[in-house]
């Protein structure tokens, strides 16, 4: 009898957990964070610290949840989509070369054709074996690097051993037209193929796998962020963010308070969207869908 009770309780627990996991969720608007004289292009987070590239003012700023500036570093030339990373990457201060041994913020400088590397108040540059022409974004994953190289219509990808060039100019699968953002995941490379008005997925040999959002009438896909179960893509001119599942099917469109979005960051059920035109961060939260 006791064994039977245990079985019933265990079964009820499993059913309860399954039901809870099956509750559908959606992103819901939380608040507008006003920024003082900041026109954000890229966003990255380090813990709870929010970093923004302010391309119009050639600086990178750290802000708090209320938008107050906690730190800023100037002297960049059009900083774009930024990312944090940590590995033995070769860096230079233009005099000596060394290996990066600590976590740092990587900043593509669109106007200087270089990747700045910032930690504390020190700035160096990433050593590359190829030249860049208006780098628009960088992504780091363990010892891998991907750089969206805007005018050459390609992404430079380093797999930890060697560099390859992904993409050529064009509109077909595997071709790019002014890529503006990129993200590496465990198995794939996702690219915001801005002026083909879509995203693309490549494997790590550079083979094109899929196109995302080509049928959604996107007008300038400027920013991309990939979680374990969603691909989020900014639609700059239409003022919205499109959210796809991992089979690349559209599951949600969010538009509330979004105006000229350039980038997205997702962490712990929170989404931050950079509103370039209005100088704002738009915060959304992932919530269970309730039916009345």
């Amino acid at each position: 009898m006791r064994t039977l009770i245990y079985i019933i309780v265990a079964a009820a627990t499993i059913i309860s957990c399954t039901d809870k996991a099956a509750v559908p969720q959606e992103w819901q608007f939380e608040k507008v964070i006003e920024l003082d004289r900041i026109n954000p292009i890229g966003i990255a987070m380090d813990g709870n610290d929010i970093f923004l590239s302010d391309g119009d003012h050639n600086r990178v700023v750290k802000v708090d949840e209320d938008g107050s500036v906690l730190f800023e570093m100037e002297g960049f030339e059009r900083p774009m989509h930024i990312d944090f990373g940590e590995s033995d990457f070769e860096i230079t201060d233009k005099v000596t070369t060394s290996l990066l041994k600590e976590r740092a913020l990587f900043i593509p400088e669109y106007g200087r054709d270089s990747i700045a590397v910032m930690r504390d108040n020190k700035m160096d540059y990433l050593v590359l074996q190829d030249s860049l022409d208006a780098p628009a974004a960088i992504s780091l994953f363990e010892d891998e690097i991907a750089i969206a190289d805007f005018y050459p219509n390609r992404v430079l990808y380093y797999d930890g051993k060697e560099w390859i060039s992904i993409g050529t100019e064009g509109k077909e699968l595997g071709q790019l037209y002014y890529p503006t953002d990129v993200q590496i995941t465990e198995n794939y490379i996702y690219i915001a193929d801005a002026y083909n008005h879509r995203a693309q997925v490549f494997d790590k040999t550079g083979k094109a796998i899929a196109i995302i959002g080509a049928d959604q009438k996107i007008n300038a896909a400027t920013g991309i962020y990939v979680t374990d179960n969603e691909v989020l893509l900014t639609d700059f001119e239409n003022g919205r963010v499109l959210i796809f599942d991992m089979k690349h099917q559209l599951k949600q469109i969010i538009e509330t308070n979004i105006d000229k979005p350039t980038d997205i960051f997702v962490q712990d059920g929170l989404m931050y969207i950079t509103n370039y035109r209005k100088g704002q961060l738009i915060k959304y939260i992932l919530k269970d869908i309730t039916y009345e």
Side-chain angles (χ1 to χ4, degrees):
M1 182 66 179
R2 182 177 296 176
T3 302
L4 179 59
I5 292 172
Y6 287 158
I7 292 172
I8 293 172
V9 170
T13 302
I14 292 170
I15 292 170
S16 175
C17 291
T18 302
D19 289 345
K20 185 175 181 180
V23 173
Q25 294 183 309
E26 67 177 8
W27 291 100
Q28 298 180 17
F29 171 73
E30 180 75 5
K31 69 174 182 177
V32 174
I33 302 172
E34 298 289 348
L35 303 171
D36 185 16
R37 295 186 298 276
I38 300 171
N39 296 100
I41 293 178
I43 179 172
M45 294 184 68
D46 190 27
N48 293 321
D49 293 331
I50 302 171
F51 288 79
L52 303 170
S53 60
D54 182 5
D56 288 3
H57 301 98
N58 294 315
R59 61 180 178 163
V60 170
V61 299
K62 181 171 78 170
V63 301
D64 63 17
E65 181 71 20
D66 297 319
S68 298
V69 175
L70 304 176
F71 167 86
E72 68 177 285
M73 191 167 189
E74 300 178 319
F76 300 99
E77 291 191 22
R78 193 68 176 171
M80 299 292 283
H81 293 260
I82 57 181
D83 197 14
F84 277 93
E86 180 178 2
S87 190
D88 292 338
F89 300 128
E90 196 172 21
I91 57 174
T92 180
D93 60 4
K94 301 298 180 71
V95 177
T96 60
T97 299
S98 60
L99 289 179
L100 179 66
K101 293 293 186 180
E102 58 195 296
R103 186 168 174 79
L105 181 62
F106 290 72
I107 305 154
E109 292 189 85
Y110 185 91
R112 189 174 278 154
D113 300 332
S114 61
I115 306 295
V117 182
M118 186 177 81
R119 64 250 193 254
D120 298 325
N121 292 319
K122 182 174 175 56
M123 187 165 68
D124 293 292
Y125 289 90
L126 184 66
V127 175
L128 298 170
Q129 298 177 356
D130 202 342
S131 59
L132 301 173
D133 189 359
I138 189 166
S139 175
L140 297 108
F141 180 83
E142 297 179 351
D143 59 352
E144 302 169 36
I145 305 173
I147 301 169
D149 202 10
F150 188 76
Y151 284 119
N153 299 295
R154 65 175 182 169
V155 165
L156 279 178
Y157 170 63
Y158 178 68
D159 65 2
K161 296 180 181 178
E162 61 182 2
W163 290 90
I164 63 171
S165 179
I166 297 174
T168 57
E169 181 179 341
K171 299 184 179 299
E172 302 301 320
L173 175 66
Q175 295 183 312
L176 303 170
Y177 197 55
Y178 300 128
T180 53
D181 201 7
V182 61
Q183 184 175 338
I184 308 170
T185 65
E186 184 174 359
N187 297 309
Y188 299 106
I189 301 165
Y190 291 78
I191 300 171
D193 190 5
Y195 293 99
N196 276 330
H197 313 296
R198 64 190 185 185
Q200 287 200 69
V201 188
F202 292 78
D203 69 16
K204 292 185 177 180
T205 69
K207 178 183 177 182
I209 301 298
I211 291 172
I212 304 174
D215 58 346
Q216 296 302 321
K217 298 181 179 179
I218 295 169
N219 190 351
T222 52
I224 194 166
Y225 194 90
V226 185
T227 70
D228 289 340
N229 50 26
E230 291 180 334
V231 179
L232 302 95
L233 190 63
T234 61
D235 183 356
F236 183 77
E237 296 292 351
N238 291 322
R240 56 184 186 158
V241 172
L242 284 71
I243 302 167
F244 301 86
D245 63 23
M246 299 314 288
K247 294 182 179 179
H248 311 149
Q249 299 301 305
L250 183 67
K251 58 186 291 190
Q252 187 179 357
I253 297 175
I254 58 176
E255 299 176 286
T256 302
N257 289 302
I258 298 175
D259 187 10
K260 296 294 188 287
T262 51
D263 205 2
I264 317 160
F265 197 93
V266 175
Q267 178 173 278
D268 299 330
L270 301 175
M271 182 201 308
Y272 296 89
I273 303 161
T274 54
N275 252 12
Y276 171 75
R277 167 178 281 179
K278 291 186 175 179
Q280 299 169 329
L281 280 179
I282 308 301
K283 183 179 179 181
Y284 275 71
I285 187 168
L286 191 62
K287 292 184 177 181
D288 293 344
I289 300 174
T290 56
Y291 301 97
E292 297 181 357

